[in-house]
Amino acid sequence: MTKTTLVKASTIALLSTVLAACGGGGGGSADVTAPATPAPTPTLSNIQGFWNATLSGTSSASAVILPNGQAWVVYEAAGAITALAQASLSVNGTTYSSSGKYYSLPGGGAQGYSLSGTLPVAGSGSLSNSVRIGSDAATAMTWTYSKAYETALSQSSVQGRWSGTLGANSVSWDFDAAGKLTGTSTTGCTYSGSLTVNAAAVAVLDAAITEACAGASQSLTGIARLSADKGSMSLAYITAAGAQGGVIVLGK
């Protein structure tokens, strides 16, 4: 056997040893299983949006839940607004709960209010929760998501004169291009403040309004949403420390 033949034979033997050690050479391979991707953890952002629920008879409820967990719920019966609830939601694992107040309208007293339920997966079209008002037993409510929440408002949609009724007052409010408010009422009250598009919930308006009547003033804070045709506006508000709450419907 020549020297060249010996070198080739040695090389082949070495390669066979290495391949065997690595599991190669025979067509075999290690069975590698990719780790399972964990499911995303639900958060409050999974339930942000506009939600609608049909209650008994002609009663209904509509809710706005913001990314920061603020929830505003308006109750209606036979086309008339009967109550407003405002609550702050928090998360514990995959469930949420809240505490807040329920205001009977017009002019009713405040009661305790809570919402609780399981956080759905992102993009769910329905939301089931348990609602408790005052000392009443909790009741189940199922809300349906409204895609109107995904349509951004332009600040210019607010500009102009709006009129409506706030308590015993008929009001006339003017908003400029930046949402700055000046206004009056038939009882001599004056109004100032702003109504601006929420940076995180682009279909929602943030309201910060001061009402001055006969030398006394109070702050109204809340949210507003426009109708589909931008011709009317519903503004839900609470006063300082949540002592009172209400809803005003304005039209151009």
Side-chain angles (χ1 to χ4, degrees), residues 71-130:
W72 298 80
V73 187
V74 175
Y75 289 83
E76 296 183 51
I81 295 173
T82 59
L84 167 71
Q86 198 278 324
S88 297
L89 280 62
S90 59
V91 170
N92 182 11
T94 59
T95 65
Y96 67 91
S97 59
S98 71
S99 61
K101 292 183 178 181
Y102 176 94
Y103 306 90
S104 297
L105 300 176
Q111 303 179 69
Y113 184 82
S114 67
L115 292 170
S116 61
T118 300
L119 291 168
V121 297
S124 176
S126 64
L127 178 64
S128 298
N129 51 47
S130 178

Side-chain angles (χ1 to χ4, degrees), residues 2-17:
T2 65
K3 184 177 181 180
T4 301
T5 302
L6 288 172
V7 171
K8 288 182 178 179
S10 299
T11 301
I12 291 171
L14 178 60
L15 286 173
S16 298
T17 302

Side-chain angles (χ1 to χ4, degrees), residues 31-219:
D31 184 11
V32 179
T33 302
T37 302
T41 302
T43 66
L44 278 177
S45 63
N46 290 31
I47 57 173
Q48 66 175 303
F50 294 156
W51 300 89
N52 301 306
T54 299
L55 308 179
S56 60
T58 61
S59 299
S60 63
S62 58
V64 178
I65 301 179
L66 301 178
N68 64 2
Q70 281 193 17
W72 298 80
V73 187
V74 175
Y75 289 83
E76 296 183 51
I81 295 173
T82 59
L84 167 71
Q86 198 278 324
S88 297
L89 280 62
S90 59
V91 170
N92 182 11
T94 59
T95 65
Y96 67 91
S97 59
S98 71
S99 61
K101 292 183 178 181
Y102 176 94
Y103 306 90
S104 297
L105 300 176
Q111 303 179 69
Y113 184 82
S114 67
L115 292 170
S116 61
T118 300
L119 291 168
V121 297
S124 176
S126 64
L127 178 64
S128 298
N129 51 47
S130 178
V131 180
R132 184 184 294 275
I133 300 172
S135 59
D136 295 345
T139 59
M141 184 183 296
T142 300
W143 290 341
T144 301
Y145 179 74
S146 170
K147 285 187 173 294
Y149 182 76
E150 300 167 20
T151 302
L153 290 175
S154 64
Q155 190 64 56
S156 62
S157 299
V158 180
Q159 187 175 5
R161 173 161 294 184
W162 298 79
S163 301
T165 301
L166 179 59
N169 298 341
S170 294
V171 299
S172 180
W173 289 355
D174 292 304
F175 294 96
D176 68 12
K180 183 179 178 180
L181 164 65
T182 57
T184 59
S185 74
T186 52
T187 54
C189 298
T190 60
Y191 299 88
S192 60
S194 64
L195 196 59
T196 53
V197 177
N198 185 295
V202 293
V204 179
L205 298 159
D206 291 327
I209 297 169
T210 299
E211 178 187 63
C213 301
S217 65
Q218 66 174 346
S219 297

